[in-house]
Amino acid sequence: MSFRRGVVRQSKFRHVFAQAWKAEHCIDDVRVSRVTWDNPLCAVNPKFIAVIIEAGGGGAFLVVPISKSGRIDQSCPTVCGHAAPVLDIQWCPHDDNVIASASEDCTVKVWQIPDGGLTSPMTDATVTLEGHSKRVGILAWHPTAFNILLTAGCDNVICVWNVGTGELVYQLGDAHPDLIYSVSWNKDGSVICTVCKDKALRVIDPRRGTVREKVHDGTRPMRAVFLSDGKILTTGFSRMSERQLALWDTKDLSEPMVIQEMDTSNGVLLPFYDPDTNMVYLCGKGDCTIRYFEVTDESPYVHFLSLYSSKEPQRGAGFLSKRGVDVNKCEIARFYKLHERKVEPISMTVPRKSDLFQGDLYPDTAGLDPALLADEWIAGQDAPPLLVSLSGGYTAPPSKHRDTLRSKPKLVSQDSGTGAAPPSAGNVASPTSTPTSAGKETEEETPQPRVATRETDGHSERPKREVCQEKVTRRFKTFVNFF
């Protein structure tokens, strides 16, 4: 990486320093999963820490209160309802007690964790989502719409679910010709960006259409994350297998705004983005360092700040949401670094002499309350996140949405029964059909995934809206009457 000499750039984050917590505040004897999947393996919110762990005969993850420290007893209860290893876990941004998990058993399960943590093993999920034909490795909750969850599997299909009803509302089956590496929502949840094994960056509105352009030349896995101003930051590899960091303007994806060579390590760089400070933290799996950058409107746009280095490599990392940091110590970010058998907190702090609340470090941040209901987003509405102040600190309230997650009968897999391919973007969804004992197919009045249709003029794809509030209402009434 090259560094410019000359006038020092002014930034309040130029002196951010990272410090690992003392050994007595770490969590020990955690058997971190050895699954070969490039995900963080950890998810953190202001209430709980969740870590994917080794489990015999199925998949499991550990959930403990964030205040937990010391040794984890082997008899500690876990969430263990999957029939195969868990690949990804994500906390709901609108309820700190709700977590989703994706597994090699082709299912996604949503769990309601009781306040205070688990007192016994949890095997029955609140909601089970079945729509993928191969293992599911990516989860992404909608940032502003309540109960909207995106999943991506090794079947190269993206599904968007209404978790409150268990309904598959959108399915993109032909947008990706190969394995999907990463998915990220933008700030208001109107579009997503994805990177795929075909080396392409796509900007997709699940309700409308897709844009496709080439990114990194290397063949190793890439990652992409939407920034708050609409730009996209990607990590990947060059043709010479050098790790790269690039910034893209969604208005013109033909060339990156800036691209930086990092090093020649082979670990995938996982980007963690803080929209409040506009800082990006890069954690490489197998690395002993965490690099952090500030993204600005000034060239070269992505400014290297510093790095945290330790002796032991990280197996993964959890990134705490801004609501959970200690504002009294000017902590702007916190990681939970996964060792082979330990979880180690690492605080990112801005040195300040004053003991008063530093408003410039803590602008209002996204709170728990959703800006939209699921049906509103499905009908075409978009809204920015609702913000809360961190002045005086933040206290996570008890879960208040317990009645919004309802157990539903398992959805029929789109591949089961008929042997037909699932509906995909560009095709009109047909009613789900199941074979009868006589070998004939009968239509079921079950809710169907809404599939984005596109019209083209020969050069570009133009979106065409197909969902309206009347259809949503009618299909929901049909769904209720069916059950």
Side-chain angles (χ1 to χ4, degrees):
M1 183 189 304
S2 60
F3 299 94
R4 290 188 171 186
R5 294 184 178 181
V7 179
V8 177
R9 186 181 65 90
Q10 296 298 317
S11 171
K12 57 193 171 188
F13 303 115
R14 198 160 56 89
H15 299 293
V16 171
F17 70 94
Q19 186 173 20
W21 290 23
K22 295 181 179 180
E24 56 264 30
H25 298 303
C26 298
I27 304 176
D28 298 313
D29 281 353
V30 178
R31 297 167 295 140
V32 178
S33 173
R34 296 180 178 274
V35 65
T36 55
W37 189 255
D38 291 319
N39 264 347
L41 304 180
C42 179
V44 190
N45 68 20
K47 280 187 176 182
F48 300 105
I49 304 169
V51 181
I52 302 175
I53 60 173
E54 285 288 298
F61 59 95
L62 178 73
V63 177
V64 296
I66 197 169
S67 58
K68 172 69 176 177
S69 61
R71 181 177 176 273
I72 295 293
D73 192 273
Q74 297 303 311
S75 62
C76 181
T78 61
V79 180
C80 49
H82 283 286
V86 176
L87 299 181
D88 196 14
I89 48 177
Q90 293 290 330
W91 290 103
C92 175
H94 304 124
D95 191 334
D96 287 338
N97 293 68
V98 174
I99 188 171
S101 59
S103 170
E104 288 188 2
D105 64 9
C106 306
T107 68
V108 174
K109 294 178 182 288
V110 182
W111 314 83
Q112 185 89 38
I113 307 299
D115 287 321
L118 301 178
T119 56
S120 61
M122 182 174 286
T123 57
D124 296 326
T126 307
V127 179
T128 297
L129 306 174
E130 294 182 336
H132 290 278
S133 59
K134 294 184 179 180
R135 61 180 181 170
V136 188
I138 298 174
L139 299 170
W141 289 95
H142 195 285
T144 63
F146 188 54
N147 274 347
I148 293 294
L149 176 64
L150 180 147
T151 64
C154 292
D155 52 5
N156 311 333
V157 173
I158 287 180
C159 297
V160 181
W161 307 83
N162 181 348
V163 175
T165 63
E167 181 186 3
L168 175 58
V169 293
Y170 292 105
Q171 189 176 56
L172 299 172
D174 66 353
H176 300 87
D178 214 325
L179 182 65
I180 302 167
Y181 285 141
S182 171
V183 178
S184 174
W185 292 96
N186 68 342
K187 184 177 181 179
D188 64 0
S190 57
V191 295
I192 60 174
C193 67
T194 69
V195 285
C196 177
K197 195 173 182 179
D198 67 351
K199 309 177 187 178
L201 168 68
R202 293 170 174 82
V203 179
I204 304 172
D205 184 334
R207 301 166 295 188
R208 298 177 181 89
T210 178
V211 177
R212 172 182 175 179
E213 291 292 341
K214 183 179 179 181
V215 280
H216 300 274
D217 294 325
T219 57
R220 293 186 58 79
M222 301 171 287
R223 288 293 183 275
V225 60
F226 253 116
L227 307 186
S228 57
D229 60 0
K231 296 182 179 65
I232 299 174
L233 185 136
T234 62
T235 62
F237 292 80
S238 69
R239 189 171 295 138
M240 303 301 294
S241 295
E242 295 177 307
R243 293 199 292 193
Q244 293 178 327
L245 170 68
L247 186 67
W248 304 81
D249 187 347
T250 52
K251 297 177 183 177
D252 181 13
L253 291 173
S254 58
E255 292 291 337
M257 297 175 61
V258 63
I259 188 166
Q260 294 185 11
E261 305 288 342
M262 306 288 291
D263 53 36
T264 56
S265 296
N266 58 5
V268 176
L269 285 171
L270 304 178
F272 296 91
Y273 175 62
D274 180 359
D276 299 332
T277 60
N278 226 29
M279 289 177 60
V280 176
Y281 304 85
L282 299 185
C283 299
K285 298 200 74 171
D287 288 4
C288 298
T289 60
I290 299 176
R291 296 176 175 88
Y292 36 108
F293 302 78
E294 184 179 5
V295 183
T296 69
D297 294 329
E298 306 171 2
S299 181
Y301 306 110
V302 181
H303 306 272
F304 175 77
L305 293 174
S306 186
L307 62 83
Y308 165 79
S309 182
S310 61
K311 295 180 180 179
E312 297 185 51
Q314 56 236 12
R315 300 277 299 277
F319 188 57
L320 179 62
S321 66
K322 187 57 68 69
R323 293 182 290 111
V325 300
D326 189 346
V327 299
N328 297 319
K329 295 181 179 179
C330 295
E331 183 186 43
I332 61 171
R334 188 188 306 165
F335 283 89
Y336 286 81
K337 176 181 174 179
L338 301 186
H339 298 254
E340 187 172 353
R341 294 187 65 92
K342 183 174 72 172
V343 181
E344 178 185 39
I346 300 171
S347 291
M348 304 289 178
T349 306
V350 177
R352 292 284 174 90
K353 294 182 179 180
S354 174
D355 293 332
L356 300 177
F357 176 73
Q358 305 295 307
D360 61 323
L361 299 181
Y362 302 103
D364 290 352
T365 190
L368 279 176
D369 292 332
L372 295 171
L373 298 178
D375 287 345
E376 294 173 332
W377 180 81
I378 294 169
Q381 297 185 41
D382 295 312
L386 300 181
L387 306 180
V388 296
S389 173
L390 294 179
S391 177
Y394 179 87
T395 302
S399 178
K400 60 181 179 180
H401 300 299
R402 295 193 182 279
D403 295 332
T404 58
L405 291 177
R406 298 183 293 275
S407 298
K408 294 290 179 182
K410 294 182 179 180
L411 300 182
V412 178
S413 173
Q414 300 299 321
D415 285 338
S416 63
T418 64
S424 57
N427 302 321
V428 178
S430 59
T432 303
S433 57
T434 55
T436 63
S437 58
K440 298 181 180 180
E441 292 182 359
T442 59
E443 290 188 351
E444 297 178 353
E445 296 181 3
T446 51
Q448 298 303 309
R450 298 162 178 81
V451 182
T453 59
R454 300 192 295 269
E455 56 182 11
T456 64
D457 58 5
H459 299 283
S460 61
E461 296 180 344
R462 295 180 178 177
K464 180 179 180 182
R465 187 186 303 273
E466 67 159 0
V467 179
C468 65
Q469 186 64 45
E470 183 180 353
K471 286 184 178 180
V472 173
T473 304
R474 186 169 62 251
R475 292 185 181 188
F476 181 74
K477 289 181 178 178
T478 303
F479 180 66
V480 172
N481 292 335
F482 176 77
F483 287 103

